[in-house]
């Protein structure tokens, strides 16, 4: 057995060495960063949240295109519609640029039409361009999205609904026209401004056979407003479904 004094000396030396080793480790240990592959420094997930970029931005997904469809509304004049989705549940696409391209039978882009739009978190919505004169028959269409302005948000869109959708034929001076009617309701308590209402009419195969839109400047909380969309002639294809979609960027502006 070691004398007690010797044992105490060994424990003291061991403690000094341990302290020195700990100090050396702390001195040599790299500072935590937002790219070290570790969840540290109050990060919510690995290398995001807390002092790092928000996890919503780090894991951001791009706007998805579900489909693009077009219809010839008049000879060599087309309406085109795309269904887009924002897959992010904590980010709004406060604004973005969309670009439609229409192609002829040879695959050549004969017309390009662009505009701006928005999407709330998790929202699926439709964008359209109406009355595109091409001068040629169109065989295909595509849409691309660019210049997206992402903002942190979990707010869904205004509580607007479209009810009472119906399609009727209106005859004037022997000319039959297709008309879609609906009633837009603001189920929220606050007034909603700048409401664009789109109407999208589909046949039984899901092809678009008509699209139109109108604007409501302001709809008071708890109130309703009838809307009507008229086409210059009656649809010559049986209607399977009608979407009437009221949308407003009002809540994005207050995010």
């Amino acid at each position: 057995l070691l004398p007690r004094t010797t044992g105490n000396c060994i424990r003291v030396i061991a403690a000094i060495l341990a302290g020195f080793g700990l100090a050396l480790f702390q001195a040599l240990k790299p500072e935590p960063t937002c790219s070290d592959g570790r969840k540290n420094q109050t990060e919510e997930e690995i290398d995001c949240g807390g002092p790092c970029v928000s996890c919503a931005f780090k894991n951001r997904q791009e706007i998805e295109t579900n489909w693009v469809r077009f219809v010839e509304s008049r000879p060599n004049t087309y309406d085109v519609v795309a269904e887009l989705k924002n897959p992010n549940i904590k980010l709004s696409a406060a604004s973005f640029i969309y670009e439609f391209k229409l192609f002829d039978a040879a695959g050549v882009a004969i017309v390009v039409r662009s505009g701006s739009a928005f999407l709330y978190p998790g929202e699926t919505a439709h964008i359209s361009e109406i009355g595109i004169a091409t001068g040629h028959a169109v065989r295909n269409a595509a849409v691309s999205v660019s210049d997206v302005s992402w903002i942190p948000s979990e707010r869904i869109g205004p509580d607007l609904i479209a009810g009472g959708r119906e399609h009727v034929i209106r005859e004037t001076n022997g000319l039959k026209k297709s008309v879609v009617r609906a009633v837009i309701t603001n189920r929220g308590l606050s007034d909603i401004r700048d409401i664009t209402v789109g109407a999208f009419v589909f046949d039984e195969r899901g092809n678009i056979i008509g699209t139109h839109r109108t604007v409501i400047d302001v709809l008071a909380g708890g109130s309703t407003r009838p809307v009507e969309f008229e086409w210059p002639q009656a649809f010559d294809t049986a209607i399977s479904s009608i979407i009437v979609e009221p949308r407003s960027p009002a809540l994005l502006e207050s995010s």
Side-chain angles (χ1 to χ4, degrees):
L1 296 175
L2 292 173
R4 179 174 296 180
T5 54
T6 303
N8 288 339
C9 288
I10 292 174
R11 283 193 290 271
V12 170
I13 293 171
I16 292 172
L17 291 175
F20 177 77
L22 179 60
L24 182 62
F25 172 76
Q26 293 292 344
L28 297 178
K29 185 178 70 172
E31 290 294 323
T33 68
C34 294
S35 58
D36 58 12
R38 298 174 180 272
K39 183 181 177 182
N40 48 29
Q41 55 176 352
T42 70
E43 296 167 1
E44 296 174 19
E45 299 176 16
I46 295 175
D47 293 339
C48 68
C52 304
V53 65
S54 77
C55 294
F57 276 103
K58 183 175 185 292
N59 302 320
R60 185 187 71 230
Q61 301 178 65
E62 299 305 321
I63 293 172
E64 299 172 357
T65 300
N66 291 339
W67 49 256
V68 182
R69 295 168 189 165
F70 60 92
V71 60
E72 188 174 22
S73 54
R74 298 188 300 278
N76 291 331
T77 302
Y78 291 82
D79 303 337
V80 59
V81 180
E83 185 178 85
L84 302 181
K85 178 182 179 180
N86 176 8
N88 303 285
I89 61 173
K90 293 186 178 182
L91 290 176
S92 290
S95 66
F96 61 88
I97 301 299
Y98 63 82
E99 184 179 81
F100 283 114
K101 287 185 178 181
L102 303 182
F103 300 88
D104 64 14
V108 176
I110 51 179
V111 173
V112 176
R113 179 75 67 85
S114 61
S116 63
F118 62 91
L119 285 167
Y120 287 91
E123 184 183 24
T124 297
H126 302 86
I127 60 172
S128 63
E129 287 291 331
I130 298 171
I132 304 176
T134 62
H136 297 78
V138 172
R139 292 293 179 267
N140 198 9
V143 68
S144 60
V145 171
S146 62
D147 298 333
V148 184
S149 175
W150 295 104
I151 60 172
S153 174
E154 296 183 46
R155 303 185 72 171
I156 60 175
D159 195 0
L160 299 167
I161 61 169
R165 294 182 301 276
E166 64 172 348
H167 169 253
V168 298
I169 299 297
R170 175 180 293 156
E171 186 168 351
T172 305
N173 298 326
L175 179 64
K176 294 182 178 181
K177 300 180 180 182
S178 274
V179 177
V180 167
R181 296 170 178 157
V183 176
I184 308 303
T185 301
N186 176 5
R187 298 194 298 187
L189 299 178
S190 302
D191 298 354
I192 299 297
R193 300 182 179 278
D194 301 325
I195 302 169
T196 298
V197 186
F200 309 94
V201 184
F202 300 86
D203 66 15
E204 59 185 10
R205 293 184 297 176
N207 296 317
I208 190 80
I209 59 176
T211 180
H212 218 316
R213 61 175 173 259
T214 189
V215 174
I216 299 175
D217 292 332
V218 60
L219 187 58
S223 68
T224 63
R225 179 81 57 85
V227 292
E228 185 175 282
F229 308 89
E230 182 181 276
W231 283 263
Q233 66 280 321
F235 298 131
D236 57 6
T237 303
I239 294 173
S240 175
S241 62
I242 299 172
I243 295 174
V244 177
E245 190 174 76
R247 303 183 67 239
S248 169
L251 297 187
L252 288 174
E253 295 166 357
S254 59
S255 294

